[in-house]
Amino acid sequence: VSDNAPPIDKACLAALDEADPLASFRALFDLPEGVVYLDGNSLGPLPKATRARLDEVIGREWGRDLIRSWEANGWMDLPQRVGGKIGRLIGAEPDSTIACDSTSVNLFKALAAALGLRPGRRVIVSERGNFPTDLYVAEGVAALLGAELRQAEPDAIEAALDGSVAALTLSHVNYRSGRMHDMARLTRAAHAAGALMVWDLAHSAGAVPLDLAGCAVDFAVGCGYKFLNGGPGAPGFLYVAPRHHGAAMPLTGWMGHAEPFAFAPAYRPAEGVARALVGTPQVLSLAALEVGVDIALSAEMDAVRAKSVRMAELFAALVERDCAGLGLALASPRDASARGSQVCLRHKRAGAIMRALIERGVIGDFRPPDILRFGLTPLTLRYADLGAATAALAEVARALSG
Amino acid sequence: VSDNAPPIDKACLAALDEADPLASFRALFDLPEGVVYLDGNSLGPLPKATRARLDEVIGREWGRDLIRSWEANGWMDLPQRVGGKIGRLIGAEPDSTIACDSTSVNLFKALAAALGLRPGRRVIVSERGNFPTDLYVAEGVAALLGAELRQAEPDAIEAALDGSVAALTLSHVNYRSGRMHDMARLTRAAHAAGALMVWDLAHSAGAVPLDLAGCAVDFAVGCGYKFLNGGPGAPGFLYVAPRHHGAAMPLTGWMGHAEPFAFAPAYRPAEGVARALVGTPQVLSLAALEVGVDIALSAEMDAVRAKSVRMAELFAALVERDCAGLGLALASPRDASARGSQVCLRHKRAGAIMRALIERGVIGDFRPPDILRFGLTPLTLRYADLGAATAALAEVARALSG
């Protein structure tokens, strides 16, 4: 916001909401009264259509059609069907994405498969400061398969890539800072070193435009319950580039078999990404996830991104103006191209501030030791919400600084 | 049924239903009109309370309380809470069972952990004819960790145990034949050979009395959507004997960390069975599973088993009497102590017979090449249903033999 911009006041925010091409999406969600929800990047809110869909799946498909639903109601295809829709959101080739298991389990599959594809190499590189479960899973895969996890500082990732590296695994958008990596550049760097690239899209899918195919990404995983609004603990997803569809997967359950219902005694992996499936599809949670994914697909991703960027800049400007001198500092990159769909602030009493904000119905996240995290979900947030959030933040920070 | 027993007619079956101490349970389930459901061992029917519970979880907990539900509504504890209830059903020590992931993924954890606990031994023994996903997972674990899967015939299992064997893994009740292994004896045999015992309880939990602690079982896994009526693709469960709670787990996600929300960079496994957790709890499906488990817990297991045995004997007797000469042969053990809660018949046109039965609303399973499988779920089935099923079977088999 430049110095001679008009002041950001209630009328200005209302005008932005009035002109917002995504404004109608908010009505598709059940949002509690009196809450400013800046945590849709942790748990996306409830789509109104989810209850009706679950009611149908539970009452009609499970209750009435019973076991016949595996075929008659397409239950068996849910991982591919919902995964295929997610694939469209992330710029994947068709038939290369499945929805199943958790993000962590899918990351395990991708890393183990990557180690298998680079048999002479025994190092997985990741970023110190990556989301912990990513580091834990990488550490566990490495311990299990006689490899090693090498953690690099964010600006030393490329320098950490050498001929011993089988895979580089990074979160595209950092959970704490919101910093977004350059997917094309880092994927190229991994490939230049002969390594495979495994992205975690937990804070990217449904939030920022993605082009996995164009970036020649090898594997990607992500989360169904953040920007995809799939519900608490929704299944994650796994993308496998078509050129790796023949890779051996470490978890060889019956759903990854070429003919699960032939009940053959020996494992014969399915063609395509389906071989990364393991157990029986989680029907109820996949049905809920599909509702959220369908909404995301119906929004123009460029409009989503444009609103996200505008909201982030506006929120940062409001905080700078209204919370000056209260000990708050921007912890997210100022440059939009290096930032996902969240704004983080640093404050030494961040935990107490977030508790007080939540009491007032302004819901964000505290990430220890000192981060206030505000997720920006363009399908459900109004510009006016940012004004309300900033006002509450100023009051709370002032009270706690006093 | 001895020669001088009274004839089994409609009046006799009605009298058995009248005297059935479990008769009232059927009203707890939504069962479609005109259907005799003999497939509750594949997908358990819908408990009436599930819709209301899911509606509450979706509408109030997710929709209104949003992210706060992880603490306020106990979401974070669901794997332990539901797992603890399943533990009571299977005779586990307290705090030794968790509900999470799929049966296949849980088996992977158990087998990898077992190999880790027996570092000098590189063989996993299982049974030829075990449920395929169990064999596939064992084959995959073995391939991944440089071990070997040895498949033995059912009567040669004990002979296959030697000093190279790290783990014996078996399904307690065989999915095709319904044959039930002697858990105490085979667990002792595994231990005598220095191996660990990993049971798959998919067709046992909620169906037959189990005493994991008394049998000194090492690990067990099982399924939530069969006799536990948790819904299609419900989470599975994993039991880890307290003496193995320190074992290293191969899937090291944040939910298995000692302090998931400290976001520490290095993995430090939780104490207890919680270290076998991986990703975020599947809230919707765990809530649905809990409803089914609560019903199972409210039934007296000895009464469930007694009704199951009586139903199996009655059904076998009815088939012998009413389907004589139609090419049907009993494929399940006649001895109740060696049989789970199902009756299987063999017929060379089993597939066609099952299709015709299902068209008439008598729903069982076909398992290639020649098995008709009828699951006996004492909480939802009436003795009269067995009469109706036998009459339909006789008609269909007669028509297809003609």
Side-chain angles (χ1 to χ4, degrees), chain B residues 33 41 79 96 102 125 127 130 153 198 238 249 301 365 376:
Chain B
E33 286 291 314
N41 59 336
S96 296
S102 63
V125 171
E127 176 187 351
N130 195 353
E153 297 299 333
V198 183
L238 172 64
M249 284 290 152
M301 184 51 78
D365 261 322
L376 301 172

Side-chain angles (χ1 to χ4, degrees), chain B residues 171 181 197 253 290 306 322-323 337 357 372-373:
Chain B
S171 290
H181 279 304
M197 185 72 225
E290 188 168 26
D322 298 342
C323 304
S337 71
L357 281 176
L372 294 155
R373 188 176 79 167

Side-chain angles (χ1 to χ4, degrees), chain A residues 23-30 46-50 291 295 298 379-380:
Chain A
S24 63
F25 278 90
R26 183 174 166 91
L28 300 178
F29 293 85
D30 247 338
L46 168 65
K48 283 181 180 159
T50 303
V291 175
I295 293 175
S298 71
L379 301 186
T380 56

Side-chain angles (χ1 to χ4, degrees), chain B residues 41 103 171-173 200-205 221-223 226-227 237:
Chain B
N41 59 336
T103 311
S171 290
H172 182 227
V173 173
D200 181 344
L201 308 176
H203 288 271
S204 312
V221 301
C223 175
K226 298 178 182 290
F227 290 91
F237 63 86

Side-chain angles (χ1 to χ4, degrees), chain B residues 100-101 105-114 238 249-251 276-278:
Chain B
C100 58
D101 298 314
V105 169
N106 287 325
L107 183 61
F108 177 88
K109 298 176 199 169
L111 291 176
L238 172 64
M249 284 290 152
L251 292 164
L277 293 172
V278 189

